Amino acid sequence: MRFASSVSILALVAPALVSAVPLRLTRRAASAADTLVLQFADVLEQLETQFYTQALAKFQESDFTTAGFSAAQVPIQQFSTIVTDEKTHATTLEKSLSDLGASPISNCKFDFSSALTDVKTMAATARVVENVGVAAYLGAAHLVDDGTLLTAAASILTVEARHQSILNVLSGSGTAIPNAFDLALSPSEVLAIAGPFISGCDVGVSANPPLTITNTGAVTTGTSLTFKSDAIPSDTSKLSCQMLTGDMSFSVTLPFSQCTVPSGINGPVAIYITNDTQPLLANVVERATVNVVAGPQMAFIDTDPQMLGSLATSGSSSSSSSSSGSSGSASSSSGSSSTAAAAASATSGTSTTTISPADASSLMSSASAQATATGAAAAAAAAPTGNAGAAAAAASQASAVSAAAAQSTVAAAVVQDSTPGGRNSYTGPSPDGHMTVNGFAS
Ligand SMILES: *[C@@H]1O[C@H](CO)[C@@H](O)[C@H](O)[C@H]1NC(C)=O
């Protein structure tokens, strides 16, 4: 267990690095909001630290090779760097809390048994965890009162974003940098995803009801998503599914029973169930929450596999070959998987029924298969229907950023960037007629 011992050596070094991080404040007590945000961030960093520590302790080099990595040391080196960062983040946040006269939350227990069944499920879950980490820091930014704390938190956020890119690459099927903007999630939304891993502590924030994606096949453009949640009523006729990516100004809204992945989505997607048909705003500060019945759940819908990913995973795993047969059919079965998210919620502590780890790994296998198919073919084969949000709002991010120029363009036209492999950006007028670019309204 060479990597396990290097991790513990790094743990000894980490405290020395802490003093270099400009997060300590001694000048005054933190506001209640700042304390809450720091404690919440620390719990997430503890979760990440535990996750990677357990993963690196459990899996051998051969497990990484079996999972399809070209060379086991490639992912192990990255995971080892990541766990060191997470540990340092947690230590630093805890020191800050003490300096501010507050206490870190130290009694949380983390159960990752469902996510550590094999390396594929672990890596897929890591991808969700990092993306949720990025979304959590972004979504809490507006809650922070102290500018120094905000800046320090931002310096953590940028590193979490690097982890996210590395894990996109290591997934084999992902786009390293899938969107021009990242999703922001509120603390309650973060807990809908991360909460099932956590027990035994009160983080001071209520969790949205968890949502599970129950698809057992590949998920790509054109796939109809199916869901499970204790919070979903038996009559689903009034429910909508809402898909939100970082590049959208508001969610794509579809009937619950016809939740078909539209074209133009690539990378992480937050999926919600609401009890109305209003799109959810990307703007986390103003996003309505009252109609959210369950979720979000974080899914990765990889429609643009990149060469970098296939370099990391060119060794094909035994299970991925079994699903490659269906990948040539250019149907909804030819896509990549989204369901690390499902694995992420498949833990104890809640009564939520989830996709099994076996299903999750078979989905990850099909994600590897997708790396050899073309995302464009899959997208072309399965055009979405009834995509109200996208139809109302697709336009180029560039024109939307210069809001004045874009206002008329967007209002009048539906312009979708359908360049194969290109970025698709959904921007445009929000339901109230205002221009919204990833949370910045004009
Ligand atoms: C559903 O809809 C009504 C308003 O139409 C709202 O008051 C209620 O709280 C909603 N939310 C949930 C989660 O059911």
Side-chain angles (χ1 to χ4, degrees):
M1 299 296 279
R2 202 168 134 232
F3 42 85
S5 61
S6 69
V7 166
S8 57
I9 289 164
L10 288 166
L12 297 175
V13 178
L17 301 175
V18 170
S19 60
V21 180
L23 194 51
R24 286 195 283 172
L25 286 184
T26 49
R27 52 199 160 87
R28 62 169 180 78
S31 71
D34 288 353
T35 301
L36 187 76
V37 170
L38 284 180
Q39 287 174 328
F40 188 70
D42 174 45
V43 167
L44 294 179
E45 297 290 352
Q46 290 177 40
L47 181 152
E48 292 178 320
T49 303
Q50 281 295 313
F51 176 81
Y52 291 110
T53 302
Q54 290 178 25
L56 286 169
K58 172 165 183 174
F59 296 116
Q60 315 291 319
E61 291 197 12
S62 58
D63 297 320
F64 285 86
T65 314
T66 303
F69 286 106
S70 315
Q73 281 302 325
V74 170
I76 289 170
Q77 193 172 51
Q78 297 304 320
F79 284 122
S80 301
T81 301
I82 292 171
V83 72
T84 307
D85 289 344
E86 311 299 13
K87 200 174 292 188
T88 307
H89 292 164
T91 312
T92 306
L93 289 164
E94 286 157 21
K95 181 76 171 74
S96 294
L97 280 161
S98 321
D99 289 349
L100 292 163
S103 304
I105 297 168
S106 57
N107 57 344
C108 297
K109 292 191 171 40
F110 305 99
D111 180 0
F112 301 109
S113 48
S114 64
L116 297 179
T117 50
D118 57 84
V119 164
K120 280 193 175 199
T121 309
M122 181 274 288
T125 306
R127 210 176 163 202
V128 172
V129 164
E130 292 297 337
N131 205 70
V132 170
V134 168
Y137 278 97
L138 266 181
H142 72 102
L143 303 171
V144 176
D145 292 319
D146 185 286
T148 303
L149 284 179
L150 180 60
T151 305
S155 77
I156 294 178
L157 164 62
T158 55
V159 174
E160 301 291 349
R162 278 179 207 121
H163 298 168
Q164 171 62 27
S165 284
I166 288 290
L167 291 163
N168 287 341
V169 170
L170 292 179
S171 75
S173 59
T175 305
I177 309 164
N179 298 112
F181 297 91
D182 277 317
L183 281 163
L185 298 178
S186 73
S188 294
E189 293 173 334
V190 168
L191 283 181
I193 304 166
F197 289 127
I198 307 172
S199 65
C201 57
D202 179 3
V203 297
V205 175
S206 63
N208 280 9
L211 176 68
T212 303
I213 299 162
T214 53
N215 293 63
T216 52
V219 173
T220 187
T221 311
T223 304
S224 279
L225 300 178
T226 51
F227 304 101
K228 201 153 205 170
S229 170
D230 290 346
I232 294 177
S234 49
D235 177 7
T236 59
S237 61
K238 300 257 162 37
L239 302 183
S240 298
C241 90
Q242 311 271 1
M243 289 180 249
L244 189 63
T245 72
D247 279 1
M248 295 177 185
S249 54
F250 53 87
S251 62
V252 171
T253 306
L254 293 168
F256 178 83
S257 58
Q258 296 160 47
C259 188
T260 304
V261 177
S263 65
I265 284 187
N266 181 39
V269 188
I271 302 170
Y272 303 72
I273 304 300
T274 62
N275 70 356
D276 67 352
T277 56
Q278 278 294 302
L280 294 167
L281 293 180
N283 180 345
V284 71
V285 180
E286 286 167 23
R287 186 183 304 149
T289 56
V290 65
N291 293 102
V292 175
V293 172
Q297 182 53 275
M298 186 72 76
F300 283 88
I301 296 174
D302 295 326
T303 54
D304 184 22
Q306 292 187 315
M307 289 179 278
L308 197 52
S310 55
L311 277 181
T313 58
S314 59
S316 69
S317 70
S318 46
S319 50
S320 77
S321 57
S322 68
S323 60
S324 63
S326 64
S327 73
S329 63
S331 69
S332 64
S333 66
S334 70
S336 54
S337 103
S338 71
T339 53
S345 67
T347 61
S348 63
T350 71
S351 53
T352 315
T353 309
T354 60
I355 190 170
S356 73
D359 282 337
S361 15
S362 87
L363 287 171
M364 284 317 293
S365 305
S366 56
S368 302
Q370 165 73 359
T372 59
T374 70
T385 54
N387 180 355
S396 81
Q397 194 82 40
S399 65
V401 167
S402 61
Q407 194 88 41
S408 55
T409 310
V410 172
V414 173
V415 183
Q416 184 161 354
D417 169 13
S418 57
T419 315
R423 286 179 180 176
N424 291 276
S425 305
Y426 297 98
T427 55
S430 57
D432 63 4
H434 287 103
M435 173 67 70
T436 312
V437 180
N438 196 50
F440 297 98
S442 67

